[in-house]
Amino acid sequence: MVNVSLAGVTLTYPGASRPSIDAIDLEIEHGELLVLVGPSGCGKSTTLRALAGLEFPEAGSIAFGDRDVTGLDGSERDVAMVFQSYALYPHMTVAGNMEFSLKNTKVPAAERQRLVADAASLLELDGLLERKPRELSGGQRQRVAMGRAIVRRPAVFLMDEPLSNLDAKLRVQTRGQIASLQRTLDVTTVYVTHDQTEAMTMGDRVVVMNHGRIEQVGTPRELYDEPETLFVAGFIGSPQMNLVEGTWSDAEGARVGDLALPFRASAPHSGTALTYGIRPEDLELVTDAGDDATAIRLVVDLVEELGSDTFVYGTGHGVRWTARLPKGARPAIGDGLAFAVRRDAVLGFEPTTGHRIR
Ligand code: ADP
Ligand code: MG
């Protein structure tokens, strides 16, 4: 069941020369955790603010269920938003902060207490209800901000980079908690982040945005395995997918300098420049490449040892490559290594439009 839909939503801020979001079409299922991801300035917060009723589009429409909410204020939409700067009231206790919006909407005291107690137990804040924000850790404050949203039992949660103020370890822990809490509550949630790892680990589906437009919508697996544009190919995955300039022709096949790649495009692309994409883990280290024209040969100039993985960076065939090495490999700078490309691992993109070609 579709719970939230945007159709052709376009929004230009006063005085701006171009729209901050441009013709956004999106359907969000009931209970789904949908993540908007993209670089800073791509329009994530603007999309969320349009959903929240804090900004109003000049074109397009927004519906919650079968109700058109395009012109409605946030207060009439039954949404709760969690911001990056979750600004708690410093003079109020945790309980006071959490029940504040309920007081405003005249929920009776006994009901408020019950809702706050329920949210506190979900968020493991039970023992902290009488504390002031300054007596809490960053992670606990963040959970109070979540609690403030949860007690309202909204139809839709909107979260704008809620973990940005936490340190790296706490972010990882908290993103797991938010994702599992969201599943427990079963409330449709739109979550914004610039961090592709956060997007991939949390989202049921992920929307990749760029320059105010949607590049692609898919499950994390679909975006990783089948990116439809160069932008998505480069944005999703860390370290980045190898994206190298080459050519394709019927007679010669796929070429990057003197390297032949296992890729076939359809006839209309013959004789054209293509950009090839290969994930670092799809380069397979080989010890005896001989004079194989399909082996990628590179000279290592950087080694990244992550414990579970080792990545090497180096130049070969006139371009730079990143490759993941098997556990136990001990590469050194200056080593010459050869790699076979795994079957079906090469993607082709049209360099000017960025579109995937098949
Ligand atoms: P993101 O959240 O993805 O970083 P935003 O939605 O905040 O991006 O911004 C999208 C674009 O709109 C940016 O170019 C930004 O500078 C511009 N923008 C955001 N808010 C305003 C505003 N209040 N007035 C004018 N331009 C804005
Ligand atoms: Mg933003």
Side-chain angles (χ1 to χ4, degrees):
M1 189 173 82
V2 175
N3 195 22
V4 176
S5 58
L6 296 91
V9 173
T10 301
L11 195 154
T12 310
Y13 287 103
S17 56
R18 58 184 196 86
S20 287
I21 52 173
D22 194 358
I24 298 291
D25 292 321
L26 203 52
E27 298 210 318
I28 307 164
E29 296 288 317
H30 181 84
E32 184 174 28
L33 173 49
L34 184 86
V35 179
L36 307 182
V37 72
S40 176
C42 72
K44 306 179 296 293
S45 294
T46 304
T47 308
L48 213 61
R49 292 175 64 81
L51 284 171
L54 296 169
E55 308 287 347
F56 296 92
E58 74 252 23
S61 62
I62 301 174
F64 284 15
D66 48 19
R67 195 162 74 112
D68 185 327
V69 300
T70 315
L72 296 186
D73 257 12
S75 59
E76 300 168 272
R77 291 192 188 188
D78 199 14
V79 297
M81 190 150 167
V82 183
F83 295 94
Q84 172 181 349
S85 56
Y86 33 77
L88 303 176
Y89 297 109
H91 57 285
M92 288 186 193
T93 61
V94 166
N97 269 283
M98 281 168 56
E99 70 172 349
F100 185 73
S101 69
L102 299 177
K103 270 187 173 160
N104 277 347
T105 52
K106 310 237 175 345
V107 177
E111 175 73 356
R112 290 203 305 265
Q113 264 190 0
R114 191 183 64 76
L115 289 167
V116 168
D118 279 0
S121 116
L122 275 173
L123 293 161
E124 295 172 28
L125 291 168
D126 316 72
L128 306 175
L129 285 172
E130 293 316 311
R131 291 216 193 157
K132 297 282 176 59
R134 66 168 182 279
E135 300 166 307
L136 303 176
S137 69
Q140 289 166 338
R141 275 183 225 152
Q142 201 282 337
R143 298 215 296 278
V144 176
M146 292 287 299
R148 250 187 338 198
I150 289 174
V151 292
R152 293 174 48 196
R153 299 289 158 101
V156 180
F157 278 130
L158 304 171
M159 303 187 191
D160 195 350
E161 314 230 12
L163 306 183
S164 303
N165 294 331
L166 306 182
D167 65 47
K169 195 162 180 180
L170 202 51
R171 281 180 76 118
V172 172
Q173 192 186 339
T174 312
R175 78 183 185 216
Q177 288 168 345
I178 292 180
S180 80
L181 181 68
Q182 193 274 340
R183 258 147 228 152
T184 308
L185 294 171
D186 197 30
V187 175
T188 307
T189 302
V190 185
Y191 183 102
V192 162
T193 178
H194 64 274
D195 178 344
Q196 65 91 26
T197 309
E198 207 165 287
M200 296 289 276
T201 52
M202 292 182 73
D204 293 320
R205 285 187 307 155
V206 175
V207 180
V208 182
M209 294 184 67
N210 184 26
H211 292 307
R213 290 175 174 273
I214 293 178
E215 289 272 334
Q216 190 174 349
V217 183
T219 63
R221 179 51 57 200
E222 284 163 355
L223 294 177
Y224 192 83
D225 289 345
E226 304 291 344
E228 291 303 329
T229 67
L230 262 179
F231 181 82
V232 175
F235 191 79
I236 299 291
S238 177
Q240 220 192 34
M241 178 185 267
N242 292 289
L243 293 170
V244 297
E245 307 296 323
T247 54
W248 193 81
S249 72
D250 246 344
E252 295 264 290
R255 293 266 164 185
V256 175
D258 60 343
L259 170 71
L261 284 175
F263 179 84
R264 285 200 65 77
S266 54
H269 297 286
S270 191
T272 61
L274 288 188
T275 301
Y276 294 107
I278 312 172
R279 295 268 176 216
E281 67 271 23
D282 289 325
L283 301 190
E284 214 170 358
L285 188 65
V286 288
T287 44
D288 181 20
D291 57 2
D292 184 355
T294 66
I296 296 175
R297 292 158 216 275
L298 57 85
V299 177
V300 175
D301 58 38
L302 179 68
V303 177
E304 256 177 20
E305 183 59 73
L306 302 181
S308 58
D309 288 307
T310 305
F311 292 97
V312 292
Y313 298 76
T315 302
H317 315 280
V319 293
R320 259 181 85 70
W321 301 93
T322 309
R324 189 176 80 182
L325 296 188
K327 203 172 163 142
R330 294 281 177 271
I333 290 172
D335 281 357
L337 301 179
F339 296 87
V341 179
R342 264 183 240 281
R343 270 180 77 86
D344 300 324
V346 183
L347 308 182
F349 297 92
E350 216 277 307
T352 48
T353 62
H355 291 155
R356 170 100 173 261
I357 62 150
R358 292 163 196 274

